[in-house]
């Protein structure tokens, strides 16, 4: 590029396109000039010069032959994408745990993407495809087969060949099994074409093994092949729906349909609440609605009752500036007594915990949090917390709470009891981390520190038979009491919301977003047009019905995209009560519930937990007797 010349892209692409537009769309259409420009580009005028076509249609036909979009995109993909061999060598260490320790022959076959018949066949099935929505051959439809026969596994072959009739080992999250490949398909866009075999480096469909797959699977002909690490999705089930059949006798069909839905959708979560409700968890409102539609129309084929969307919350505490308050709890017969206090983790740790893309549920992540605590600005306050004993809640697949032990004793008998029941202590902590005292929601951003454990040898021996369960219950209650000794807060999921619009709609959009407690991050104008987009952080609980309200407010000119961003604490105190003289003068003796208190009340009411209800006028009760 020279100072007196425009960039090469403008000279070779944009200027010729602009000249074409000026020539074809001019008021006085010059066909000879258009033909001359077409010949310079190497395009036969017969391709676009149709007498009945308008000038704009002719220009569009010329541009499609000069720079066809589909061909250009495909050429760029082929030119810049790595070959299967190069990409496989780069990704295998992240896909297979302890890849370097694999047998040399298996490791060499995977590294070289060897397609020969002599090497073991290895493939990874990332999801299941429904063939009823695909063109071409459809399997299972109209043949009286089970519903699962309508699905094929979407697989990537890493070595060898996957053949029809081949015996393979299938490894999933539920274990491993052996089966036979019934059919192999070549995926052609939205169509299927049955083939005899597919070689390494190709994508294919594997039929007949759906009953052995749960979401994803590793298939191989070599027993030495370990399971591949499944892809970690960036968001969890934020929106939950409770489903129940209209006819109670159709409950088995609903359960079977939920099992198929869990297999087919890699993002969905299915679980049963202690009350017996079947709950579907989706990544968002649209995803949850799609899951319900598939369940009703395809998998269960029954009429269902669907609840209002449920959004999960988490419980946390705020930093305490003073000395932490301890909680003391003993086992029912007084064998062991635990002293525990809770404190909020530093901000450096909270930034990692609240972001689901960085929160990896593993011992390494918990150790990383401990190192961040030692390097934070508050490290002096954490010098006496002792060693890390555990983290949780592991059951929910994220790391939100840590358990430290600063306990030390010279009594050999006490140390023996602690070492014997250490697993029970950590299990009790995990039970507390799964269901907090506010609304039985998981905890986040908390550290529990065990300062003392005392043993009473004079406790009745007859009651020590079930001491493991007593220890778990005592530690759980101690952690919940220690949690309540601090300022408590609810934590809600936040969406990264991007609203696209045009025209003079900024005022309406800002009013609509502020009504839903959104935090405006940025507004970007598209130069040369009236298009713009607004970036905001939107609470998931306030996102329901956003798309419809946007279309109504802007007459269809606005649309929103939502993506899970992080978890954020609600700043309001749900247990706020005026105590000081200034607060009493400002709020009075009776304070209207703030948003956090109202949200907490709704959660406890939905779960059937104890609520404190104040009766203001007893004589106006519904069943009061009138004289």
């Amino acid at each position: 590029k020279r100072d007196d010349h425009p960039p090469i892209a403008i000279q070779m692409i944009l200027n010729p396109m602009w000249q074409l537009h000026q020539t074809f769309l001019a008021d006085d259409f010059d066909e000879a000039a258009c033909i001359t420009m077409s010949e310079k580009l190497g395009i036969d005028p017969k391709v676009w010069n149709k007498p009945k076509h308008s000038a704009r249609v002719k220009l569009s036909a010329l541009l499609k032959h000069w720079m066809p979009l589909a061909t250009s995109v495909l050429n760029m993909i082929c030119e810049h994408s790595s070959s299967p061999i190069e990409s496989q060598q780069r990704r295998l260490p992240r896909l297979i745990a302890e890849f370097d320790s694999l047998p040399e022959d298996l490791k060499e076959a995977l590294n070289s993407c060897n397609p020969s018949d002599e090497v073991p066949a290895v493939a990874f099935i990332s999801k299941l495809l429904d063939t009823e929505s695909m063109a071409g051959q459809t399997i299972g439809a109209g043949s009286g087969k089970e519903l699962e026969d309508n699905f094929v596994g979407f697989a990537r072959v890493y070595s060898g060949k996957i053949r029809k009739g081949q015996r393979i080992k299938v490894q999933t999250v539920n274990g491993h099994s052996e089966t036979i490949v019934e059919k192999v398909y070549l995926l052609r866009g939205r169509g299927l074409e049955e083939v005899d075999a597919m070689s390494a480096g190709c994508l294919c469909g594997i039929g007949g093994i759906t009953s052995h797959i749960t979401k994803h699977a590793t298939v191989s002909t070599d027993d030495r092949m370990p399971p591949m690490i499944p892809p970690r999705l960036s968001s969890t089930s934020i929106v939950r729906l409770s489903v129940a059949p209209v006819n109670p006798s159709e409950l088995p069909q609903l359960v079977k349909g939920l099992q198929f839905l869990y297999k087919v959708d890699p993002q969905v979560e299915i679980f049963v609440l202690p009350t017996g409700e079947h709950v579907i968890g989706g990544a968002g409102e649209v995803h949850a609605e799609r899951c319900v539609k598939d369940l009703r129309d395809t998998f269960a084929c029954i009429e269902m009752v669907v609840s209002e969307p449920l959004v999960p919350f988490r419980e946390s505490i705020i930093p305490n500036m003073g000395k932490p308050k301890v909680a003391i709890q003993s086992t029912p017969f007084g064998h062991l007594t635990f002293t525990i206090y809770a404190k909020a983790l530093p901000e450096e740790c909270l930034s990692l915990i609240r972001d689901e893309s960085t929160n990896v549920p593993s011992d390494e992540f918990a150790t990383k949090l401990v190192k961040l605590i030692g390097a934070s600005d508050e490290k002096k306050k954490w010098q006496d917390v002792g060693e890390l004993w555990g983290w949780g809640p592991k059951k929910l697949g994220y790391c939100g709470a840590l358990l430290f032990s600063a306990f030390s004793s010279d009594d050999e008998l006490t140390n023996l009891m602690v070492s014997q029941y250490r697993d029970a202590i950590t299990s009790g902590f995990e039970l507390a981390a799964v269901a907090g005292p506010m609304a039985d929601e998981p905890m986040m951003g908390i550290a529990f520190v065990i300062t003392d454990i005392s043993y009473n040898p004079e406790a009745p021996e007859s009651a020590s038979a079930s001491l493991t369960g007593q220890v778990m219950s005592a530690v759980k209650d101690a952690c919940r009491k220690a949690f309540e000794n601090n300022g408590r807060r609810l934590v809600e999921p936040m969406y990264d919301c991007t609203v696209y619009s045009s025209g003079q709609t900024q005022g309406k959009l800002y009013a609509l977003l502020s009504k839903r407690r959104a935090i405006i991050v940025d507004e970007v104008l598209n130069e040369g047009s009236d298009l713009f987009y607004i970036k905001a952080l939107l609470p998931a609980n306030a996102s329901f019905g956003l798309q419809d309200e946007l279309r109504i407010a802007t007459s269809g000119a606005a649309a929103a995209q939502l993506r899970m961003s992080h978890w954020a604490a609600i700043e309001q105190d749900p247990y706020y009560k005026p105590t000081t003289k200034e607060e009493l003068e400002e709020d009075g003796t009776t304070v209207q519930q703030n948003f956090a208190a109202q949200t907490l009340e709704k959660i406890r009411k939905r779960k059937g937990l104890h609520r404190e209800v104040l009766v203001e006028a007893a004589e106006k009760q519904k069943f009061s007797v009138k004289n």
Side-chain angles (χ1 to χ4, degrees), residues 239 241 282-290 309 495 543-548 562:
V239 178
L241 299 173
E285 183 182 9
V286 177
H287 181 221
E289 291 176 354
R290 177 66 187 183
Y495 281 141
S543 64
F544 304 119
L546 175 64
Q547 298 283 9
D548 295 336
L562 301 177

Side-chain angles (χ1 to χ4, degrees), residues 436-440 480 484 488 575 593 597 599-614:
M438 297 177 66
D440 281 355
R480 291 168 71 98
E484 291 177 329
R488 293 157 286 177
Y575 300 98
Q593 286 186 330
T599 303
L600 182 61
E601 183 75 10
K602 291 179 182 178
I603 298 173
R604 296 186 68 88
K605 182 179 179 180
R606 173 171 56 85
K607 293 187 175 183
L609 302 176
H610 171 71
R611 297 179 296 127
E612 295 183 1
V613 181
L614 179 63

Side-chain angles (χ1 to χ4, degrees), residues 27 34 45 49 57 84 95 101 144 157-158 161 210 259 266 298 327 394 417 422 435 442 447 484 525 582:
D27 295 335
C34 295
N49 193 11
V57 175
L95 296 176
S101 60
V157 186
Y158 285 86
K161 291 183 178 180
T210 307
Q259 293 174 351
T298 305
K394 298 179 181 179
M417 293 294 291
R422 176 169 173 172
E484 291 177 329
L525 298 174
E582 291 78 8

Side-chain angles (χ1 to χ4, degrees), residues 529-604:
S529 67
D530 61 346
L531 299 176
F532 68 94
Y533 65 88
I534 300 173
K535 288 187 176 182
L537 294 176
L538 180 68
N541 197 33
S543 64
F544 304 119
L546 175 64
Q547 298 283 9
D548 295 336
E549 193 170 353
L550 282 175
R551 283 192 287 267
I552 294 173
T554 62
S555 301
Q561 290 184 353
L562 301 177
R563 181 178 61 87
M564 176 60 189
S565 176
H566 64 283
W567 294 78
I570 301 177
E571 296 182 358
Q572 298 171 334
D573 184 4
Y575 300 98
Y576 170 72
K577 291 181 180 180
T579 54
T580 64
K581 183 178 180 180
E582 291 78 8
E583 292 175 348
L584 290 171
E585 291 179 354
E586 181 178 355
D587 301 324
T589 56
T590 59
V591 182
Q592 187 177 2
Q593 286 186 330
N594 56 32
F595 173 77
Q598 294 174 5
T599 303
L600 182 61
E601 183 75 10
K602 291 179 182 178
I603 298 173
R604 296 186 68 88

Side-chain angles (χ1 to χ4, degrees), residues 301-512:
C301 299
I302 60 173
E303 290 297 324
M304 299 182 303
V305 178
V306 184
S307 70
E308 294 182 358
L310 311 176
V311 176
F313 288 83
R314 292 177 182 173
E315 303 178 13
S316 184
I317 60 176
I318 59 176
N320 187 2
M321 303 304 295
K323 187 177 180 180
K325 299 179 182 179
V326 298
I328 302 175
Q329 184 70 29
S330 302
T331 56
F333 295 95
H335 289 86
L336 291 170
T337 302
F338 300 94
T339 304
I340 300 175
Y341 70 86
K343 61 190 307 183
L345 291 173
E347 189 61 35
E348 292 84 352
C349 299
L350 293 178
S351 60
L352 292 179
I353 291 176
R354 292 172 177 171
D355 190 351
E356 293 194 346
S357 62
T358 58
N359 193 334
V360 181
S362 63
D363 295 337
E364 292 77 10
F365 182 74
T367 305
K368 182 180 179 180
L369 293 179
V370 175
K371 293 180 180 179
L372 284 176
I373 292 174
S376 66
D377 298 336
E378 305 176 11
K379 59 182 178 181
K380 292 183 179 180
K381 299 180 181 180
W382 293 82
Q383 291 178 352
D384 56 347
V385 298
E387 64 174 327
L388 180 67
W389 269 23
W391 59 272
K394 298 179 181 179
K395 180 180 178 181
L396 302 180
Y398 79 95
C399 178
L402 302 178
L403 176 64
F404 292 93
S405 174
F407 161 75
S408 63
S409 175
D410 297 332
D411 186 7
E412 295 182 0
L413 187 57
T414 302
N415 291 330
L416 178 62
M417 293 294 291
V418 171
S419 61
Q420 181 178 356
Y421 293 102
R422 176 169 173 172
D423 291 341
I425 294 174
T426 55
S427 298
F429 153 75
E430 291 182 16
L431 289 175
V434 170
M438 297 177 66
D440 281 355
E441 295 288 344
M443 295 184 183
M444 170 177 278
I446 310 171
F448 293 97
V449 182
I450 303 175
T451 59
D452 184 50
I453 302 176
S454 60
Y455 172 64
N456 182 13
E458 299 180 359
E461 297 181 0
S462 60
S464 62
S466 59
L467 191 56
T468 300
Q470 297 177 25
V471 169
M472 292 172 58
S473 178
V475 174
K476 174 186 174 183
D477 293 341
C479 291
R480 291 168 71 98
K481 288 182 180 179
F483 181 94
E484 291 177 329
N485 288 336
N486 296 269
R488 293 157 286 177
R489 295 292 186 272
L490 282 176
V491 184
E492 62 181 348
M494 301 290 289
Y495 281 141
D496 187 0
C497 175
T498 305
V499 181
Y500 298 89
S501 184
S502 61
Q504 302 298 323
T505 58
Q506 290 97 328
K508 297 179 180 179
L509 294 180
Y510 276 103
L512 192 150

